[in-house]
Amino acid sequence: MKRWLTRGVATRGVLLAALALAVALPLLAQAPGPDYGEFNFLGLDRRGAVWIAAQLHLLFAAFVLGVPMFAVVIEAIGMFGGDEKYDKLAKEFTRLLLVAYSATAIWGAILVFFLSTLYPRFWAYLTAIFAPSMWVYAGLFFLESFTLYLYYYGWDAWKKGAAKKAHWCLGIMLNVWGTIVMFIANGWLTYMMSPPEGLTADTAPQTVQLWSAINNATWMPINIHRLLANVVFGGAIVGAYAAYRFLTSKTDEERAHYDWMGYTGNLIAIGALIVLPFAGYWLGREIYEFSQQMGITMMGGFMSWLWIIQAFLIGILFLAGNYYLWIGMGRIPGAERFQPYIKWMLLVLVLGVIVWATPNTMIADRDEIAAMGGIRHPFLQVLGVMSAKNTAVNLMILTTFLSFLMYRRANKDPVVPWARAGTMLQGAAFALCAVIVVFYGVYGYFVTAIVRIGFSVYQVLAVLATILFVIGIDMAMLRGAKSRGEIRWGRMPDRSQYALLILAVTFTWLMGLMGFARSGIRQHWHVYEVIRDTSEQAFTPALGPAATIISICVLIFFALVGLIFWLGGLAERSVYQEAEAKVKAGQEGRAALGDPMPAPSLGDVD
Amino acid sequence: MTNLKILFTVVATLAVFTFVANVIPQVQSAVPREIVLSADMPPEELAAIGEEIYAGAGGCTACHGLGTRAPDLLGVVGGVCATRVPGQSCKDYLWESLVNPMAYIVEGFDPIMIDQSILSSQAELWTLVAFLESQGGEITVNADDFAAALAADDAAAAAPPPPVVTDPSQVDAVALITAQGCLACHALGGEGGMVAPPFEELRGQDPAVVLEGIVDPMATINEEYSAFAGTMPTIFGDLMSPVELDVLVNFFVGGAGAGAEAPGDAPEVPPDSAGGSR
Amino acid sequence: MKRYLSHPFWQGAIVIVVSYVAFEWVIGYVLPVIGVASAPVPSSVILQYMLTVLVGIVLYMSADEARWKSFKKPIHETMVARDRKTLRGILMVALPVLIGWLAYQNVRPSYAAPATLRSVHPAPPNQLTFRGETIELTGLENPLHEEGSIEEHLAVGKRIYVRNCVPCHGDLLDGQGHYAPAFNPVPADFTSSGNLPQLTESYVFWRIVKGGPGLPREGTPWDSAMPAWETILEQDEIWATILYLYDQTGFTPRTWEEEGEGGHE
């Protein structure tokens, strides 16, 4: 209101001042033409178009940035550990990158075209501030592409000795370029969320300092959050790729390979997921500190139900991730020992999901509200607040880690003399951690909000410390352990692979949802409290329509990724050509697993 | 078959998510109403906008209604405005009061109000008139008044900005102070308002602080006048050119005392002090 | 009996029934009897809980190959075995009838207002106007902490509360005033840990000043009976009432972290 009132007069003033200073006129005051371009395609409006282009660009970009991170790590494992199969796996990850990389660029270009044609004035504003960083961005993108080409096409040429090390360094460079590129782009979008202090609608964009615009309140938290999330996402998509190849493979050899690959992808995804909430807390805190109103809009305002949906999705992730491990134990000799524990772990997970998804304000009709004496349930409201939810999610993380530990231990019998004491120590660490988590969870009800926020950090720290401590003991204890038999890679029922697919779809959708939350809390602003969105799409959509758009994005993404997977399969086909003779053996393998579905004949795979 | 199953898994998962998100009650965040002034607005709407300006950005309530500084207008002014000056209609009286406040000072109050056309566009002033009329009387502001005001605003916006004075010697600080309406609150040589420090107090102060006080009045508040903090508009930095500000600051820190010294005689401050901190 | 108890399918069925009884009856009706504050759970929440349990059961049953087979066996047999003909026939009729009944329940016209999602604590504005005076809400503190004696403020707050608030919010501050049963949404219960301790004093100030009419959209439906007290009370009286509320309930208001602690700026 105030801003609107002063605009007329102040614009005149700015013109005067700008002329006197011999600075170019502010673009805002002089840009000719309309503020917004018209767009209507199959009922999709201009915001929908930009939304879908941005989301797809982001999904491909996340994949392209996430995969190199662990491809390099896996290559190093192969290089220093001397196991050829890791090297092959790293190369296979990288092959997926090539096509995904061009998809990223295509969607990026579409996004830029949409922005510059549909939001011309706002685009001019952004370019006036960020132009130099955009040129740097383009240059780095160029470097990144060529590093990727060298990395992939040089894989077999530089396989030995120093050449291999140089090749590995190429992989690291690839990550460096990619990370800088992402940081730059994050600067643009976080500027829209949390512009530096003191900007008004009349501030000429040319006068905004580039570094202050990039280094804004939420820039670093978003950088770190996205860096971790990219690893999670890359792992999940690789898992989905492996699942797809597993389901369509015709030989045992192929099946074993993709089973292992799917396991690795899943492990990476779940492992990185465990530390992701830390970065999330930090981001949330910075948002609150930047603007209390923005923070409340995000957590308690019209978006509060979004977090219930998020809880529901993360519940699915935990359940599916654990489920995959439990099924996987069926192919490990000696895993039967741990079967009885599964139902208790499942109980913790189910209770965790129930607590986490318990809404603080419930959907209820008039009579139910009257019966409850309010919108909150007198008993269940205890579960609706942060203390309960943090406790639940930390116990779920702990349980997931326990599943992984049992999976790891399944076919091994430690031979070190202190094995028994070690196991007991591990158990004690778990118990202590659970006690700490529950203690702070309960104690959280009796302290003020600020202290309570601190507690959530203690809880996560306790869980992370326990994980590190227990895994340390485990690695020492299982050194030279007696094996009860090799893991029978490939002997996995199909439904485990569908669990991997659901994991990947859920991760992708969750990213879309969180992106909506991040972008939606700006509400009717292009740049929060600086540049107002005056188009007809200035309102923030409800969860339903938003979910529909997110689903469309994810569907397009998986259609394209499916295409990429299929292309990946075409290239791979020659490798397995000689193995086709074993198709029959593969069929028998399936029959032995009790799968009634006949193996596909060679022709009908694609 | 396998491909179909995979397709089904993906689509079914998405369908479940979309369904769940759609069955919960939908809350959409609407855009707060943005005011667009147009000639065909009904009078009530004009008055509503005027009320927002009155209570909000116009800053009217800083003086009106508090009892001592300016008359309480709410609920009464619409009834008496037509009778104040014989032959002048209500809306003309109110308009005149806004753009030339010194013309009608109500008995018992000091002449402290500034020309509101410095702060607001003509169209905005008409919404204020409509609102004030609605306080105890009929709204007579009509579409013609408003259309003319809008046209005037457009013309003002389109007109080339007045030539910028770049030579400090051509700027007359006293004239500038009068033109900007500073004397409504500040006093110079005993003349002027009393809700803000007299300009003489600025003598000998740090030019940078004085400049800051002009462009960002809330930066430093004189304790003696803290009751009136927030009254001073924040627009003067935009209304004056850097050269004008420079001259003004020099005048304040150096020569405001007797009011007789020529502005040019004021001791020099570094010429970039004004431009530098902007 | 034992045969059933050890069979995965029936184990699953028992868990379903037990969970339903726990969510619907134990929480809703047994807890209040033994003195724990509780109430019937809304059907949307029951549905959500039951789906979670169902998913958990399916996951558990299918996590092990042998268990999965024996879990599916009764279902499979019911569909094909000769000696289950009668059961099959009953299910063939009962299942469609059940689904039809559910569909009918969903579409049948009813007088009940639809279930609504009301955000109890919607995001406050950055500033508000109090009788025309603009007050920045962000970072606003209760001015009475700084001036006068707290006992006097509390006495003022008590007087204001008793005169204005008791009819709806009750003399125990529990939202159970004489008029309370007539309102939907019901008056706020100040003794609940979900209200005062979750809010800053400036938030409470905003809610009292603007009342039901000043709720933003996500706080709808706008049928809150809370008046906008700015027309009746002075600012200091409202602040004193807020002091009184926190004093009486023993809660401390939520505070925000110090500016700049997070490292930016």
Side-chain angles (χ1 to χ4, degrees):
Chain A
M1 177 62 215
K2 195 171 173 186
R3 182 162 294 137
W4 160 79
L5 180 84
T6 51
R7 187 173 297 167
V9 184
T11 311
R12 258 179 277 152
V14 167
L15 285 179
L16 277 173
L19 261 181
L21 292 165
V23 174
L25 284 172
L27 264 161
L28 270 179
Q30 56 134 222
D35 292 2
Y36 300 103
E38 289 307 317
F39 188 85
N40 191 352
F41 178 71
L42 301 177
L44 197 68
D45 55 23
R46 70 169 77 80
R47 173 168 68 184
V50 168
W51 187 342
I52 290 179
Q55 185 65 60
L56 280 160
H57 173 62
L58 184 122
L59 290 174
F60 277 108
F63 181 69
V64 162
L65 293 175
V67 171
M69 285 192 234
F70 52 81
V72 163
V73 173
I74 290 174
E75 192 191 1
I77 293 174
M79 192 165 79
F80 298 114
D83 193 340
E84 182 79 2
K85 77 175 179 177
Y86 285 103
D87 197 63
K88 264 174 71 181
L89 186 68
K91 190 186 173 193
E92 192 163 5
F93 287 158
T94 314
R95 195 181 53 233
L96 297 179
L97 279 181
L98 282 182
V99 194
Y101 199 78
S102 49
T104 314
I106 293 167
W107 282 104
I110 294 175
L111 173 60
V112 169
F113 292 146
F114 274 156
L115 271 178
S116 55
T117 54
L118 301 181
Y119 292 82
R121 192 117 94 125
F122 178 57
W123 177 247
Y125 174 85
L126 281 185
T127 48
I129 298 175
F130 289 108
S133 66
M134 289 172 172
W135 304 326
V136 174
Y137 183 91
L140 283 170
F141 198 77
F142 186 80
L143 277 177
E144 193 190 354
S145 315
F146 275 85
T147 313
L148 175 62
Y149 293 148
L150 280 176
Y151 186 57
Y152 178 68
Y153 291 107
W155 204 291
D156 294 322
W158 302 313
K159 234 180 154 43
K160 293 274 178 289
K164 181 69 185 167
K165 288 218 170 61
H167 179 259
W168 184 62
C169 289
L170 273 179
I172 292 176
M173 289 317 291
L174 181 63
N175 278 298
V176 172
W177 303 138
T179 306
I180 301 177
V181 160
M182 182 185 75
F183 278 24
I184 294 177
N186 286 350
W188 307 335
L189 73 97
T190 50
Y191 171 80
M192 293 167 66
M193 272 175 85
S194 54
E197 256 179 63
L199 291 192
T200 69
D202 299 316
T203 311
Q206 290 85 352
T207 61
V208 179
Q209 294 291 318
L210 178 62
W211 177 243
S212 78
I214 289 181
N215 186 24
N216 57 62
T218 54
W219 183 53
M220 246 325 139
I222 288 244
N223 284 342
I224 302 301
H225 198 51
R226 284 195 161 174
L227 214 56
L228 288 171
N230 287 346
V231 177
V232 177
F233 183 68
I237 298 300
V238 162
Y241 168 73
Y244 168 78
R245 297 297 307 271
F246 178 96
L247 290 170
T248 54
S249 54
K250 293 164 220 93
T251 65
D252 276 349
E253 192 190 351
E254 227 179 322
R255 216 168 281 130
H257 173 72
Y258 287 112
D259 185 10
W260 178 62
M261 184 172 176
Y263 165 75
T264 314
N266 184 46
L267 188 67
I268 292 164
I270 301 285
L273 178 71
I274 286 176
V275 283
L276 200 52
F278 245 165
Y281 280 130
W282 185 26
L283 177 58
R285 234 183 77 132
E286 287 296 320
I287 289 176
Y288 260 106
E289 222 164 82
F290 171 73
S291 158
Q292 190 179 321
Q293 192 190 21
M294 200 185 222
I296 295 182
T297 302
M298 176 173 75
M299 298 307 296
F302 85 104
M303 281 198 172
S304 54
W305 259 86
L306 185 140
W307 302 99
I308 299 295
I309 303 280
Q310 188 224 24
F312 163 73
L313 293 172
I314 293 191
I316 291 177
L317 292 180
F318 273 114
L319 286 173
N322 279 282
Y323 178 67
Y324 178 79
L325 285 177
W326 296 334
I327 298 189
M329 282 159 77
R331 65 182 172 213
I332 309 179
E336 319 78 54
R337 304 177 277 168
F338 298 119
Q339 273 296 336
Y341 301 112
I342 286 182
K343 56 177 164 293
W344 302 113
M345 296 197 290
L346 183 76
L347 184 71
V348 174
L349 287 178
V350 167
L351 286 178
V353 172
I354 282 181
V355 170
W356 214 29
T358 297
N360 197 12
T361 53
M362 297 179 170
I363 303 177
D365 63 30
R366 215 191 139 84
D367 296 337
E368 288 168 336
I369 291 177
M372 287 193 290
I375 201 80
R376 294 210 192 85
H377 190 275
F379 179 68
L380 294 176
Q381 71 166 355
V382 174
L383 307 181
V385 294
M386 258 355 258
S387 281
K389 294 184 194 300
N390 281 338
T391 309
V393 79
N394 279 303
L395 290 179
M396 282 160 79
I397 292 176
L398 212 55
T399 309
T400 307
F401 176 62
L402 188 61
S403 283
F404 167 71
L405 211 62
M406 286 180 179
Y407 182 95
R408 209 177 117 80
R409 182 75 67 84
N411 63 342
K412 297 191 182 75
D413 283 319
V415 289
V416 288
W418 47 276
R420 204 180 150 72
T423 311
M424 280 169 73
L425 195 60
Q426 285 178 322
F430 267 106
L432 180 68
C433 180
V435 167
I436 292 175
V437 167
V438 173
F439 169 76
Y440 278 117
V442 174
Y443 192 33
Y445 286 97
F446 302 99
V447 295
T448 58
I450 277 195
V451 186
R452 189 161 55 238
I453 292 170
F455 283 180
S456 62
V457 176
Y458 300 150
Q459 289 180 319
V460 180
L461 278 179
V463 170
L464 286 183
T466 307
I467 288 176
L468 289 178
F469 178 68
V470 170
I471 203 83
I473 295 182
D474 217 53
M475 284 166 88
M477 196 158 72
L478 292 187
R479 191 159 294 155
K482 199 165 79 200
S483 174
R484 293 189 173 219
E486 279 302 300
I487 298 179
R488 298 182 289 260
W489 290 112
R491 293 169 73 89
M492 200 62 168
D494 282 356
R495 54 179 185 279
S496 63
Q497 305 302 311
Y498 289 107
L500 282 184
L501 280 173
I502 290 174
L503 267 175
V505 174
T506 309
F507 270 124
T508 316
W509 207 84
L510 186 57
M511 267 174 86
L513 185 75
M514 292 296 100
F516 164 65
R518 187 195 56 71
S519 186
I521 50 174
R522 274 184 291 129
Q523 299 190 287
H524 54 278
W525 300 94
H526 284 320
V527 178
Y528 190 66
E529 301 213 308
V530 176
I531 304 292
R532 213 184 160 97
D533 184 349
T534 53
S535 66
E536 344 30 318
Q537 290 90 22
F539 68 93
T540 315
L543 212 44
T548 311
I549 299 246
I550 295 166
S551 290
I552 291 171
C553 291
V554 177
L555 205 59
I556 298 176
F557 176 72
F558 273 91
L560 290 174
V561 156
L563 187 72
I564 294 171
F565 287 0
W566 176 71
L567 291 172
L570 277 188
E572 185 76 348
R573 184 137 304 171
S574 53
V575 180
Y576 285 101
Q577 212 93 67
E578 66 272 27
E580 275 177 16
K582 295 180 189 164
V583 167
K584 228 170 150 43
Q587 273 171 348
E588 278 155 16
R590 283 178 100 84
L593 269 172
D595 188 334
M597 195 186 72
S601 66
L602 275 178
D604 69 357
V605 172
D606 301 308
Chain B
M1 185 60 201
T2 309
N3 282 319
L4 275 181
K5 271 186 170 174
I6 292 172
L7 183 68
F8 174 80
T9 310
V10 173
V11 172
T13 314
L14 290 178
V16 169
F17 295 164
T18 317
F19 175 75
V20 171
N22 274 284
V23 288
I24 62 166
Q26 302 290 302
V27 189
Q28 177 175 303
S29 166
V31 186
R33 193 168 62 95
E34 197 187 13
I35 302 154
V36 180
L37 297 169
S38 66
D40 53 357
M41 282 175 134
E44 292 72 28
E45 220 168 293
L46 289 182
I49 297 171
E51 180 171 12
E52 284 186 45
I53 296 176
Y54 184 86
C60 312
T61 50
C63 299
H64 288 278
L66 294 182
T68 54
R69 292 153 73 186
D72 190 358
L73 303 173
L74 298 188
V76 290
V77 66
V80 298
C81 53
T83 63
R84 302 282 298 190
V85 177
Q88 195 171 25
S89 71
C90 175
K91 69 182 175 191
D92 289 344
Y93 171 78
L94 290 172
W95 175 264
E96 188 73 16
S97 307
L98 285 166
V99 299
N100 185 14
M102 299 305 152
Y104 314 120
I105 298 296
V106 178
E107 212 170 297
F109 293 98
D110 290 329
I112 57 169
M113 183 163 157
I114 53 170
D115 175 3
Q116 293 300 307
S117 62
I118 295 178
L119 285 168
S120 310
S121 72
Q122 296 210 11
E124 287 160 9
L125 291 179
W126 278 115
T127 65
L128 270 173
V129 172
F131 166 65
L132 292 174
E133 281 188 322
S134 74
Q135 297 299 306
E138 289 275 302
I139 302 174
T140 57
V141 175
N142 56 35
D144 292 340
D145 296 329
F146 202 64
L150 282 174
D153 286 339
D154 287 346
V164 177
V165 185
T166 50
D167 180 3
S169 67
Q170 289 180 10
V171 182
D172 178 358
V174 179
L176 196 60
I177 290 171
T178 318
Q180 296 293 346
C182 308
L183 296 182
C185 301
H186 298 270
L188 182 65
E191 294 281 317
M194 298 188 305
V195 298
F199 286 131
E200 282 79 3
E201 285 190 11
L202 299 176
R203 192 163 194 178
Q205 292 204 15
D206 179 4
V209 174
V210 174
L211 178 70
E212 189 182 27
I214 297 173
V215 297
D216 181 12
M218 294 297 280
T220 45
I221 296 297
N222 188 323
E223 280 304 314
E224 246 178 277
Y225 298 88
S226 60
F228 303 110
T231 309
M232 180 158 162
T234 56
I235 53 171
F236 291 116
D238 286 336
L239 287 177
M240 286 180 271
S241 74
V243 173
E244 286 172 326
L245 284 168
D246 219 21
V247 170
L248 205 59
V249 169
N250 271 324
F251 176 72
F252 286 151
V253 300
E261 291 169 60
D265 298 341
E268 280 296 309
V269 294
D272 63 344
S273 66
S277 46
R278 270 177 66 76
Chain C
M1 191 62 199
K2 202 174 169 220
R3 189 170 69 95
Y4 286 119
L5 277 180
S6 61
H7 193 283
F9 182 82
W10 296 108
Q11 283 173 344
I14 290 167
V15 171
I16 291 266
V17 172
V18 169
S19 322
Y20 183 75
V21 169
F23 297 142
E24 177 80 62
W25 300 98
V26 175
I27 294 183
Y29 301 100
V30 177
L31 285 186
V33 171
I34 60 170
V36 180
S38 190
V41 184
S43 56
S44 67
V45 180
I46 298 256
L47 181 69
Q48 180 192 326
Y49 285 181
M50 290 311 295
L51 280 178
T52 313
V53 171
L54 187 66
V55 168
I57 290 171
V58 171
L59 290 190
Y60 176 68
M61 296 307 168
S62 62
D64 180 77
E65 201 58 42
R67 199 186 306 128
W68 184 228
K69 262 190 190 155
S70 71
F71 177 78
K72 288 191 294 188
K73 205 171 160 217
I75 305 170
H76 187 250
E77 277 178 358
T78 310
M79 285 198 281
V80 296
R82 256 170 222 288
D83 57 337
R84 300 276 174 92
K85 207 168 179 181
T86 330
L87 180 62
R88 192 153 59 232
I90 293 170
L91 285 178
M92 289 277 267
V93 177
L95 278 181
V97 167
L98 180 71
I99 291 167
W101 181 76
L102 285 176
Y104 172 72
Q105 285 294 320
N106 265 321
V107 298
R108 120 192 121 105
S110 99
Y111 302 111
T116 50
L117 174 65
R118 184 173 170 274
S119 179
V120 184
H121 298 138
N126 272 336
Q127 56 183 29
L128 56 78
T129 54
F130 187 93
R131 302 192 203 163
E133 177 196 350
T134 304
I135 300 174
E136 282 293 326
L137 213 51
T138 314
L140 180 66
E141 298 288 337
N142 190 337
L144 300 187
H145 288 306
E146 301 297 326
E147 59 185 64
S149 83
I150 210 81
E151 284 73 29
E152 276 171 36
H153 296 322
L154 289 176
V156 174
K158 181 176 182 178
R159 181 173 53 80
I160 301 287
Y161 184 86
V162 171
R163 287 202 187 153
N164 301 285
C165 315
V166 161
C168 302
H169 291 285
D171 44 8
L172 300 175
L173 292 85
D174 57 356
Q176 302 285 330
H178 284 116
Y179 297 162
F183 297 135
N184 180 25
V186 293
D189 169 9
F190 298 124
T191 59
S192 154
S193 61
N195 285 327
L196 290 179
Q198 304 290 338
L199 305 171
T200 59
E201 285 182 287
S202 63
Y203 191 101
V204 181
F205 181 72
W206 169 56
R207 290 314 322 132
I208 297 176
V209 169
K210 292 297 175 185
L215 281 172
R217 215 189 113 86
E218 62 262 28
T220 53
W222 283 327
D223 43 13
S224 163
M226 176 86 170
W229 289 98
E230 63 175 327
T231 56
I232 300 157
L233 299 175
E234 298 298 328
Q235 282 192 36
D236 278 357
E237 293 177 321
I238 295 179
W239 285 121
T241 313
I242 294 171
L243 284 181
Y244 174 74
L245 288 181
Y246 280 103
D247 181 65
Q248 281 298 300
T249 53
F251 292 125
T252 45
R254 187 173 192 146
T255 47
W256 300 104
E257 282 156 289
E258 298 299 317
E259 270 304 315
E261 194 194 300
H264 78 272
E265 270 305 316

